Amino acid sequence: QVQLVESGGGLVQTGGSLRLSCATSGRTFSSGTMAWFRQAPGKEREFVAALSWRGGATAYADSVKGRFTISRDNSKNTVFLQMNSLKPEDTAVYYCAASLASHSLSATYYRSGSAYNYWGQGTQVTVSS
């Protein structure tokens, strides 16, 4: 089994920054796909960013391009989401997700929650206005 644990959420003001971490356990991710999703109150879960573990290729939702960066530390089996220039609309619970499949980031399926079968518990990010 794979376990994912997010951390790093909190309360920041508009324009501030946070870095989320997703620590993995249960197996080593030498391949596969990692992603971040978020869900705001009353809204459906939406894709934020994805990373191909083996090669490091990344993809982003249009709403966060230029502001968020997904990365990984292979030695620590950890994925990060650096969030800069935060806006109130970024307020949500952020979830780390993983798939053992190497989804193509040139397609669209990687943006769907159904592409991932392992999920963290979520970490709250609140951006005050």
Side-chain angles (χ1 to χ4, degrees):
Q1 184 76 323
V2 174
Q3 291 84 44
L4 307 175
V5 180
E6 304 99 330
S7 62
L11 173 65
V12 297
Q13 295 182 346
T14 298
S17 298
L18 284 173
R19 189 175 80 156
L20 306 183
S21 298
C22 176
T24 70
S25 63
R27 68 169 293 142
T28 301
F29 280 87
S30 59
S31 61
T33 311
M34 303 293 296
W36 289 94
F37 288 76
R38 66 187 183 186
Q39 187 167 26
K43 304 293 184 180
E44 65 182 24
R45 188 170 297 184
E46 66 173 338
F47 168 79
V48 175
L51 176 147
S52 177
W53 191 270
R54 185 171 182 176
T58 60
Y60 300 91
D62 289 342
S63 60
V64 305
K65 284 182 179 178
R67 299 188 299 121
F68 290 11
T69 303
I70 187 172
S71 62
R72 90 287 203 203
D73 185 329
N74 289 2
S75 66
K76 298 180 180 180
N77 296 312
T78 301
V79 176
F80 305 97
L81 184 68
Q82 178 66 47
M83 305 184 295
N84 298 325
S85 301
L86 284 163
K87 307 173 181 179
E89 50 262 47
D90 295 318
T91 295
V93 176
Y94 283 69
Y95 296 91
C96 179
S99 173
L100 299 182
S102 296
H103 298 299
S104 173
L105 302 189
S106 298
T108 60
Y109 186 52
Y110 73 92
R111 300 198 295 262
S112 172
S114 64
Y116 305 90
N117 51 353
Y118 300 103
W119 294 82
Q121 83 288 350
T123 185
Q124 176 70 47
V125 172
T126 302
V127 185
S128 64
S129 60

